[in-house]
Amino acid sequence: MALPRLLLHGTIEAKISHTTPYDFDQCASATLLGFRWRHLLQGVEKAIGVGDGKTRLHVTVSLDSAPIARTADVIHDPARSTEWNQTIRAYCAHNAAQVVFSIAIQSTGSNEENILGRAFLPVTELLAQESEVARWFHVMDPDYTEHELRDQPQIYLRIKFDAAAAGQGGGIAYAPSADPTAAAVPHTFFPQCPGSRVTLYQDAHCLGSFAPAIQLAGGGHYQPGRCWEDVFDAIDKAQHLVYITGWSVNTDIRLVRRDGDDGGETLGKLLKRKASKGVRVLLLVWNDPTSVPLPLLLRLLGYNNFDLPWVGQHTHDEDTAAYFRGSNVHCVLVGRSVALAPPPPPSSARRAFELPNWLDTHHQKTIIVDHDVPPGAASADGDRHIVSFVGGIDLCDGRYDTQSHCLFSTLDAEHKGDFHQISLEGASSDLGGPRMPWHDIHSKIEGPAAWDVLRNFEQRWKKQGAGDELLVDLMNLVKLPSWQVVPASDKEAWNVQMFRSIDSTAVANFPVADGTAGSITAVTNAGLVCGRHNTTVDRSVQDAYIHAIRRAKNFIYIENQYFIGSAFQWAPGSAGRVSAINVPPQNLVPRELSLKIASKIEAGEPFAVYVVLPMWSDGLPDSWSVQEMLLWQRNTIEMMYKDVADALQKAKMTNASPRDYLTFFCLGNRELKSSGEPAGAAPPGTPYGRAQKARRFMIYVHSKMMIVDDEYIIVGSANINQRSMDGARDTEIAMGAYQPYYLNANSQAGARGQVHGFRMSLWYEHLGSKDDVLLNPADPRCVRMVNDMADANWSRYAQEVPCDLPFHLLPYPITVAEDGSVTDSMECFLDTEAPVRGKISAIGGAASATGR
């Protein structure tokens, strides 16, 4: 009889102890190449110095077929017990019948998974235990049958499940006087740092005319920042160092743009000028493999420059390196791939716990400088401190934009020479708009947490740059990491914690998981987990999202470039030709959100989740890569709405709609023709020509941000997809921050600090309103108001006669029924022939399923 699939929502802690003595080396399934061939390869590896010729085993923990964690690889002696003695901890949000422990051999190839045997723990038994399950388990045949392996080996395991708190959500801190580290995400590499200061930015520039006058606690008003002007000022005033990491860095961009002039220096000239004056300028830029023609072999495998998920984005890495070559600026192009085997063809799904390959990127976007200590800080005149910028905005073309997000009117002004449009084939400044407006979010960090951004750069430079060379010794030059730019007791102080997705192939000084007790302890104490080939992985970005969602009390507001994950819960068959359990996007974020809503419905409490996405990911909307990502996104959304609808049905809330609790939006603009636009016209009848005639286009949402209860904010480079959340794929960095004084638990101030001001400023940009109803996003009246305004705006966006849109928020073009089923509001996106739902292509497979 089939075991029931029950919900495991919480944390699983498992100690993988040891096996009985057994020769796993002789298992028939030990290798895809055969026993002798594998030992031959091990001997070759030993001879050339890339291995020791020994067989190593690890254990992967899965919920049914969804992997959640793995141990280190340890040496296997056929005559003795194989010992791991490793405790692994993992978040879970799965419906599962069994916890599966798979014993596997470290492959000679980089990413093969050769399972030798499995042990099974029924979820019913785990949930029936008040403490833990601790016993010997029989190791069964790896094909999920009930056959034991020959000689009946066993493995000793201790497993404990801690459920997420019932009714969950007490806010970021439970009282203003609580321990200032109470909201810290546990088991992470970087600690939470009190006494910091954060500046939040919406878009690269803020117009003087954009003045929402958001009231804050204490009588003040929120003041929007000007990101690229602050970046220019920080670089210009640096005296010792300017360190930059980027997915793309374009030396031709101008950070400062004003009417009537050319904005002064380009970024390249600015960095060269600073370096020529003795400032150490170091750049780590992703080495984009698509910036040069691909070898014929890869084309034969199915790849070409026009098939890849980042098609047409022109990262300029080769141009950037050439520009700085021979100057005092040190620019290093860094590839992400460390895989020993060739990349899989496009039709192959990525396995769990893979080493990064050349499809993965360095996606961090940071700038670190030394800067004057700000006025009012406790410091002597002339003192300097570290300032770090972290977020989603790359220092490249197409990113400069304002809250107006113009399509046509700025092409001969601030966007002259910076025309960016990769979703309309053949688009150019000569033929006119629409350009692709760009909405993004960034942050500036001062104080102790800024040093953690610096440490991230130094760790990467030592591994990927020039070792210890060129890094500035900051002793006696700047304030030490312990210095608080704002006293922790100050009402305006921030607590900030840095998070990353990165592994030991990209950073120096991570502890090595070699299977010894000391190394495993070091990995665990550093907040890291084990990856393939004993790499160590920091996946704290995903942990931060999960932790914040579970603590949410009232509402969650998300802006993100992608929204793909929790494939373990997708409807059977929804993934197209690839079964849901084998599709890579296993990250928990979407399921955590839907389970949060379900728990609030069960508790009879109001709660709302708002998600703002681009209409489609960057690229031609009818291309196979974009279409597949749209399909995976739809599968994710359908899964979430089913959870919400099931909770409403269980609570007998027949008058409620899933959209009362969970709504997806996008942004768009439309503008009438004005003087000063470039002459020329797009070819009629093409998507470009239709968009130009209709005078409309989406605003591309590139943000990577989540706000919880107007208390806590996460901002960084990480998308909600597997590439960003995995830890061993794209390298990412994010910050999580809040002001301890401005929490809902404080009856005097409430959550009316900078996070609240920033959220209301974003909504003013998107809705053109600061109505009092918007102060409480959890209120059903607020949900209805936002939905109604977006719906009405869609009518204006979609009408045949062009017009100026009063604001930018639009409903994502789907219809949600009371039973949670999702259908298209239209077959294709306006002005395109691209299906809204997305589809599986004949050549695509799952390569693009995780997005960039």
Side-chain angles (χ1 to χ4, degrees):
M1 185 175 66
L3 294 170
R5 297 182 75 244
L6 304 176
L7 176 62
L8 286 174
H9 185 211
T11 306
I12 285 182
E13 185 175 291
K15 182 174 182 181
I16 316 300
S17 184
H18 60 284
T19 67
T20 54
Y22 185 76
D23 185 4
F24 286 101
D25 221 9
Q26 299 294 328
C27 289
S29 58
T31 174
L32 297 177
L33 298 174
F35 174 78
R36 293 183 178 178
W37 177 241
R38 179 170 54 79
H39 275 270
L40 175 62
L41 290 179
Q42 288 178 340
V44 172
E45 289 178 344
K46 182 177 181 180
I48 65 176
V50 297
D52 57 14
K54 297 179 180 179
T55 298
R56 282 179 161 78
L57 304 180
H58 65 270
V59 176
T60 298
V61 183
S62 304
L63 298 178
D64 289 344
S65 296
I68 60 172
R70 61 162 282 164
T71 68
D73 293 285
V74 302
I75 295 175
H76 169 58
D77 184 342
R80 304 181 61 182
S81 168
T82 301
E83 297 184 0
W84 291 275
N85 291 320
Q86 180 176 352
T87 299
I88 55 180
R89 183 186 301 105
Y91 292 113
C92 55
H94 303 61
N95 285 72
Q98 299 182 98
V99 185
V100 183
F101 300 85
S102 301
I103 301 174
I105 195 166
Q106 177 177 288
S107 58
T108 51
S110 62
N111 282 320
E112 294 296 323
E113 184 80 340
N114 303 317
I115 307 298
L116 311 180
R118 305 182 198 266
F120 300 92
L121 169 65
V123 171
T124 51
E125 180 182 347
L126 179 62
L127 293 177
Q129 299 296 318
E130 293 185 1
S131 54
E132 66 177 7
V133 175
R135 61 179 175 85
W136 286 98
F137 289 78
H138 293 285
V139 180
M140 315 299 286
D141 197 75
D143 60 2
Y144 286 93
T145 67
E146 297 182 359
H147 302 295
E148 291 186 60
L149 292 181
R150 181 167 51 89
D151 298 330
Q152 299 181 330
Q154 298 183 61
I155 183 171
Y156 192 81
L157 305 168
R158 305 175 73 97
I159 310 101
K160 179 182 179 183
F161 171 69
D162 290 321
Q168 319 167 50
I172 294 305
Y174 298 107
S177 59
D179 178 357
T181 63
V185 180
H187 313 297
T188 58
F189 190 86
F190 292 120
Q192 186 180 110
C193 299
S196 297
R197 174 181 291 166
V198 173
T199 304
L200 299 169
Y201 303 104
Q202 57 193 101
D203 307 308
H205 184 64
C206 183
L207 296 170
S209 58
F210 182 78
I214 306 300
Q215 186 85 29
L216 303 179
H221 291 87
Y222 177 77
Q223 299 295 325
R226 294 181 170 182
C227 182
W228 274 14
E229 288 191 5
D230 284 359
V231 169
F232 181 93
D233 176 78
I235 295 174
D236 186 52
K237 293 182 179 179
Q239 294 183 7
H240 303 299
L241 64 91
V242 176
Y243 296 163
I244 297 173
T245 67
W247 176 81
S248 174
V249 176
N250 186 349
T251 58
D252 292 333
I253 64 162
R254 294 175 287 113
L255 297 173
V256 179
R257 308 182 191 189
R258 298 188 178 93
D259 293 340
D261 63 35
D262 63 1
E265 291 175 300
T266 63
L267 175 64
K269 290 180 179 179
L270 171 63
L271 295 176
K272 278 187 175 180
R273 174 169 62 84
K274 296 305 297 183
S276 68
K277 293 184 177 181
V279 177
R280 186 60 49 80
V281 181
L282 306 179
L283 279 71
L284 284 171
V285 179
W286 176 48
N287 190 355
D288 179 1
T290 71
S291 60
V292 295
L294 297 182
L296 176 60
L297 174 61
L298 294 182
R299 291 183 181 276
L300 293 175
L301 285 173
Y303 293 108
N304 62 63
N305 296 73
F306 303 99
D307 284 338
L308 295 170
W310 51 88
V311 55
Q313 297 200 36
H314 309 297
T315 55
H316 309 285
D317 57 325
E318 298 292 338
D319 295 335
T320 300
Y323 180 87
F324 290 123
R325 194 169 293 124
S327 74
N328 292 323
V329 176
H330 302 272
C331 177
V332 179
L333 301 185
V334 184
R336 184 69 180 111
S337 174
V338 298
L340 302 176
S347 59
S348 296
R350 296 287 294 272
R351 299 176 178 86
F353 310 113
E354 280 195 356
L355 292 172
N357 70 33
W358 67 275
L359 285 172
D360 303 319
T361 77
H362 288 296
H363 202 233
Q364 295 181 345
K365 308 150 198 320
T366 65
I367 305 162
I368 306 108
V369 301
D370 66 290
H371 200 276
D372 298 333
V373 169
S379 180
D381 290 342
D383 282 350
R384 305 189 68 75
H385 71 143
I386 294 298
V387 173
S388 298
F389 294 82
V390 173
I393 305 180
D394 292 286
L395 295 174
C396 66
D397 47 320
R399 273 43 173 184
Y400 183 92
D401 214 340
T402 69
Q403 294 70 46
S404 297
H405 297 297
C406 296
L407 304 175
F408 301 92
S409 59
T410 58
L411 296 182
D412 268 345
E414 54 261 44
H415 289 109
K416 187 173 184 179
D418 189 8
F419 180 88
H420 185 77
Q421 176 55 274
I422 62 173
S423 288
L424 294 174
E425 190 170 7
S428 70
S429 57
D430 292 338
L431 295 179
R435 59 177 286 271
M436 181 186 282
W438 200 272
H439 175 65
D440 221 328
I441 289 173
H442 219 71
S443 69
K444 178 173 70 174
I445 304 167
E446 303 172 83
W451 277 83
D452 288 336
V453 186
L454 171 64
R455 290 189 184 99
N456 169 74
F457 181 92
E458 290 179 335
Q459 286 180 333
R460 286 191 58 190
W461 184 266
K462 290 176 181 179
K463 183 80 171 187
Q464 302 173 313
D468 290 327
E469 289 187 39
L470 302 178
L471 292 172
V472 177
D473 183 356
L474 293 172
M475 187 62 65
N476 301 321
L477 296 179
V478 298
K479 287 290 187 180
L480 296 177
S482 58
W483 180 74
Q484 297 183 347
V485 66
V486 181
S489 58
D490 193 291
K491 293 180 179 179
E492 299 305 315
W494 290 74
N495 286 11
V496 182
Q497 188 173 10
M498 301 309 304
F499 311 110
R500 290 185 295 187
S501 292
I502 205 163
D503 67 2
S504 55
T505 69
V507 291
N509 302 328
F510 267 16
V512 177
D514 61 9
T516 62
S519 73
I520 297 303
T521 299
V523 169
T524 302
N525 290 345
L528 306 174
V529 296
C530 292
R532 193 175 296 271
H533 286 267
N534 281 347
T535 56
T536 46
V537 181
D538 184 342
R539 61 180 184 197
S540 53
V541 171
Q542 181 176 182
D543 291 353
Y545 271 85
I546 294 170
H547 188 259
I549 292 168
R550 291 186 178 182
R551 295 181 72 97
K553 184 178 181 180
N554 302 312
F555 77 93
I556 293 172
Y557 175 58
I558 290 173
E559 293 185 6
N560 207 281
Q561 181 186 6
Y562 291 94
F563 196 80
I564 300 171
S566 306
F568 52 81
Q569 202 62 29
W570 291 357
S574 64
R577 292 183 292 104
V578 183
S579 66
I581 59 173
N582 290 323
V583 173
Q586 300 286 340
N587 74 81
L588 303 188
V589 176
R591 189 85 203 284
E592 288 287 347
L593 289 166
S594 60
L595 290 178
K596 164 61 70 171
I597 296 170
S599 73
K600 290 296 185 178
I601 291 172
E602 183 180 2
E605 300 174 2
F607 194 83
V609 174
Y610 305 78
V611 182
V612 179
L613 306 169
M615 289 190 190
W616 62 82
S617 56
D618 45 357
L620 300 177
D622 57 354
S623 65
W624 68 261
S625 59
V626 172
Q627 281 292 298
E628 287 185 355
M629 283 185 273
L630 285 169
L631 179 59
W632 308 141
Q633 178 177 283
R634 174 62 68 86
N635 293 341
T636 303
I637 291 172
E638 288 176 342
M639 175 273 299
M640 295 178 68
Y641 274 124
K642 185 179 187 306
D643 276 346
V644 176
D646 287 350
L648 290 173
Q649 183 180 20
K650 183 178 179 181
K652 295 181 170 51
M653 297 175 63
T654 57
N655 294 326
S657 165
R659 203 163 172 246
D660 295 336
Y661 293 86
L662 171 65
T663 314
F664 291 87
F665 302 94
C666 54
L667 303 178
N669 200 9
R670 203 169 190 186
E671 62 183 66
L672 293 172
K673 191 174 181 63
S674 61
S675 60
E677 293 182 17
T686 64
Y688 186 13
R690 290 193 290 266
Q692 190 175 86
K693 180 180 178 180
R695 310 282 300 182
R696 65 187 166 208
F697 203 73
M698 72 166 172
I699 297 169
Y700 194 69
V701 177
H702 193 257
S703 316
K704 299 92 169 57
M705 180 213 72
M706 182 171 77
I707 290 174
V708 176
D709 296 340
D710 275 351
E711 295 180 334
Y712 188 81
I713 186 169
I714 295 175
V715 172
S717 66
N719 295 310
I720 297 177
N721 61 7
Q722 196 62 24
R723 296 181 69 112
S724 290
M725 296 292 171
D726 188 273
R729 296 191 62 187
D730 288 0
T731 57
E732 309 283 7
I733 191 167
M735 70 90 178
Y738 68 102
Q739 294 179 285
Y741 183 76
Y742 296 104
L743 300 175
N744 286 301
N746 185 341
S747 59
Q748 293 181 328
R752 292 292 185 268
Q754 292 295 310
V755 177
H756 166 75
F758 185 64
R759 196 264 306 167
M760 286 292 291
S761 183
L762 285 168
W763 282 24
Y764 186 79
E765 174 184 345
H766 301 333
L767 288 167
S769 173
K770 54 176 183 175
D771 191 289
D772 284 351
V773 174
L774 302 178
L775 295 173
N776 183 9
D779 190 327
R781 294 178 303 162
C782 180
V783 178
R784 287 193 296 269
M785 178 179 179
V786 174
N787 282 334
D788 290 347
M789 291 180 71
D791 291 345
N793 205 36
W794 180 266
S795 297
R796 291 183 285 265
Y797 184 79
Q799 71 184 27
E800 186 174 349
V801 179
C803 63
D804 287 320
L805 284 190
F807 52 89
H808 301 137
L809 192 73
L810 302 169
Y812 198 82
I814 56 176
T815 300
V816 183
E818 291 186 2
D819 65 357
S821 60
V822 180
T823 55
D824 302 331
S825 298
M826 60 188 66
E827 183 179 355
C828 295
F829 292 105
L830 292 177
D831 307 321
T832 79
E833 298 174 359
V836 170
R837 180 180 177 82
K839 61 184 179 181
I840 290 285
S841 73
I843 64 170
S848 64
T850 53
R852 181 184 56 74

